[in-house]
């Protein structure tokens, strides 16, 4: 089943079961997808939709950090539930150890030797982990690998 169809089916189920958070989160994702489709006048495939979902996840995590700073327990709980829904549409995330292996392979592949080569490494690395790893974590692992 295409991701767009899956989102539609899950939205219907959430509405029937009166799951407010799930319904609003799926609606948010669908709205973001529709906005990109209208802006660019294209029909998005699963890969492009996954990029949008990953972007929504990043926004939600950023919001969570702000809610925690403001000590807004009600919004913190809601953000955790939204993140749980969003993650269910993404492929399994890579662990830090798996990312380290990919980073080390990419460093050897690009011939990078120090932090000056960071951009070259990231340019080759990010397409390999696209949608399967958080960019901040990947960046952190690359920095650690180049320093040691």
């Amino acid at each position: 089943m295409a991701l767009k169809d899956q989102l539609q089916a899950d939205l219907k189920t959430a509405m029937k079961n009166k799951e407010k958070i799930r319904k609003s989160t799926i609606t948010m994702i669908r709205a973001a997808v529709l906005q990109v489709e209208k802006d660019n006048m294209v029909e998005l495939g699963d890969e492009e939709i996954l990029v949008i979902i990953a972007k929504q996840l990043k926004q939600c995590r950023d919001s969570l950090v702000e809610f925690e700073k403001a000590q807004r327990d009600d919004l913190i709980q809601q953000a955790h539930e939204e993140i749980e829904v969003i993650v269910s549409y993404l492929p399994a995330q890579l662990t830090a150890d798996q990312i380290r292996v990919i980073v080390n392979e990419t460093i050897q592949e690009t011939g990078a030797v120090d932090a000056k080569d960071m951009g070259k490494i990231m340019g080759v690395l990010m397409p390999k982990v696209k949608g399967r790893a958080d960019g901040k974590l990947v960046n952190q692992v690359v920095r650690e690998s180049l320093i040691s």
Side-chain angles (χ1 to χ4, degrees):
M1 177 182 282
L3 196 50
K4 198 183 290 187
D5 297 334
Q6 181 68 44
L7 287 166
Q8 180 65 34
D10 290 349
L11 178 63
K12 286 180 183 177
T13 304
M15 291 170 80
K16 286 179 185 174
N17 296 337
K18 297 184 182 353
E19 300 173 86
K20 289 182 181 180
I21 301 279
R22 187 168 187 77
K23 176 187 166 271
S24 67
T25 305
I26 294 171
T27 302
M28 175 183 66
I29 294 169
R30 292 187 68 235
V33 170
L34 188 61
Q35 185 67 47
V36 170
E37 286 183 337
K38 283 187 175 185
D39 288 349
N40 301 327
M41 292 185 267
V42 294
E43 183 79 19
L44 296 179
D46 285 354
E47 287 297 316
E48 294 90 1
I49 292 173
L50 284 174
V51 170
I52 293 170
I53 293 173
K55 192 178 291 185
Q56 293 291 321
L57 178 62
K58 182 179 184 326
Q59 287 176 354
C60 212
R61 284 185 173 151
D62 292 345
S63 297
L64 179 62
V65 170
E66 295 303 316
F67 297 153
E68 288 172 344
K69 284 181 187 174
Q71 298 178 347
R72 294 287 310 268
D73 295 334
D74 55 332
L75 296 176
I76 291 171
Q77 179 60 34
Q78 180 179 341
H80 280 295
E81 291 175 21
E82 288 175 355
I83 288 170
E84 197 175 302
V85 172
I86 294 170
V87 167
S88 71
Y89 291 102
L90 291 172
Q93 297 293 296
L94 296 171
T95 64
D97 291 334
Q98 291 171 322
I99 293 171
R100 264 188 211 88
V101 169
I102 296 170
V103 165
N104 290 332
E105 289 172 359
T106 305
I107 288 173
Q108 290 175 354
E109 182 182 316
T110 59
V113 289
D114 58 20
K116 292 177 185 174
D117 299 325
M118 184 87 169
K120 182 168 51 169
I121 295 168
M122 294 301 284
V124 174
L125 182 62
M126 287 312 287
K128 293 180 181 179
V129 299
K130 189 176 187 177
R132 299 184 306 148
D134 179 42
K136 287 181 184 177
L137 179 59
V138 172
N139 191 306
Q140 178 185 347
V141 171
V142 169
R143 285 184 190 282
E144 290 170 1
S145 297
L146 288 176
I147 291 171
S148 57

